[in-house]
Amino acid sequence: MLTFEDVRHNQEVKTYITRADESLCALGFTEHSFAHVTRTAEDAGYILETLGYPERDIELAKIAGYLHDIGNLVNRSNHSHSGAVMAFQILHRLGFDATEIATVTTAIGNHDEGTGVPVNSVSAALILADKSDVRRTRVRNDDISSFDIHDRVNYSVKKSVLKINEEHTLIKLKLTVDTKYGSVMDYFEIFLVRMIMCRKAAERLGLEFKLIINEQQLI
């Protein structure tokens, strides 16, 4: 049975992730390369594993997390849709089962806050994992004086942790923010829609979503 490792080590996949990130770099976006997609894959897998989902669902969530941003190779606009089509073709060539291809492509096609909806458990896990990856190391710009709001917000986050409680009733995104570089209001200005999407994704998994910044609960 084909696995996440088969996808992760596939040279075609590596090329598309690299080139997609190069395009975003040219546009001035934060890092969307192997660090981001690997963390997204790991967190999506963690969510379903912690909630006791079947091993194969966990594997598919990790695959969806790893492939979710390849559509940026085509264009940033509608990248979730083009990425889903690309993932369909890749997984089909690798020999994945049609039902598994459907699950992964549906998750990828629904991960962006513009049009996405957490339509199934894999989709919900991907949304939560992707939208919670806010951290200083995603900022490429070395000149702090020229930071835009996205740079400021990401750079201000010294630590981010996505955690499900022991009772499996809550999923918390805990951020440690250095307000010297970005305020809590800056965070909400650019991420409010994403946090609302995370709340809906958590509900799809039977969880309540909480956002905690500097030990203060905000959502």
Side-chain angles (χ1 to χ4, degrees):
M1 186 174 288
L2 292 160
T3 67
F4 166 65
E5 290 301 317
D6 292 316
V7 173
R8 188 167 73 91
H9 293 294
N10 181 272
Q11 189 57 51
E12 182 181 6
V13 169
K14 290 180 181 180
T15 299
Y16 295 157
I17 291 173
T18 299
R19 296 295 294 274
D21 186 56
E22 287 175 0
S23 294
L24 291 183
C25 181
L27 293 170
F29 281 82
T30 53
E31 179 267 323
H32 284 69
S33 190
F34 295 103
H36 172 59
V37 299
T38 299
R39 177 164 176 168
T40 302
E42 291 173 349
D43 282 351
Y46 155 76
I47 291 168
L48 295 192
E49 182 177 12
T50 303
L51 296 176
Y53 278 79
E55 184 63 36
R56 198 59 187 166
D57 287 355
I58 298 167
E59 199 78 0
L60 295 179
K62 292 167 68 176
I63 291 168
Y66 202 74
L67 296 177
H68 79 282
D69 268 342
I70 58 175
N72 287 301
L73 178 70
V74 179
N75 196 290
R76 179 62 180 174
S77 179
N78 295 318
H79 75 281
S80 58
H81 302 161
S82 53
V85 174
M86 291 174 66
F88 173 90
Q89 295 172 334
I90 292 168
L91 297 179
H92 180 71
R93 284 195 296 273
L94 289 175
F96 275 79
D97 178 79
T99 58
E100 296 189 340
I101 294 174
T103 298
V104 172
T105 54
T106 296
I108 293 173
N110 278 281
H111 85 269
D112 186 67
E113 59 269 22
T115 58
V117 178
V119 294
N120 56 39
S121 57
V122 172
S123 171
L126 171 58
I127 288 168
L128 285 161
D130 177 40
K131 306 312 174 191
S132 65
D133 186 18
V134 186
R135 52 187 161 80
R136 177 168 293 186
T137 51
R138 293 193 70 183
V139 178
R140 308 182 207 256
N141 187 356
D142 295 327
D143 182 6
I144 294 176
S145 65
S146 67
F147 277 3
D148 64 12
I149 188 170
H150 288 84
D151 289 334
R152 291 201 309 271
V153 168
N154 278 277
Y155 195 82
S156 71
V157 178
K158 298 165 63 177
K159 183 179 180 181
S160 63
V161 177
L162 189 66
K163 186 75 173 177
I164 297 173
N165 67 348
E166 291 184 2
E167 296 78 17
H168 296 174
T169 58
L170 300 174
I171 184 165
K172 301 177 183 180
L173 174 58
K174 298 185 68 174
L175 304 178
T176 302
V177 172
D178 185 344
T179 55
K180 174 182 176 182
Y181 299 103
S183 69
V184 173
M185 285 304 297
D186 283 342
Y187 182 88
F188 273 102
E189 182 177 340
I190 63 173
F191 286 139
L192 180 59
V193 175
R194 299 182 190 183
M195 294 301 98
I196 292 172
M197 194 179 190
C198 282
R199 185 176 65 188
K200 293 178 180 178
E203 290 171 354
R204 181 66 179 77
L205 296 169
L207 300 170
E208 187 177 356
F209 177 74
K210 298 292 184 183
L211 173 65
I212 300 169
I213 299 180
N214 293 347
E215 302 301 327
Q216 298 294 317
Q217 181 178 308
L218 300 176
I219 294 179

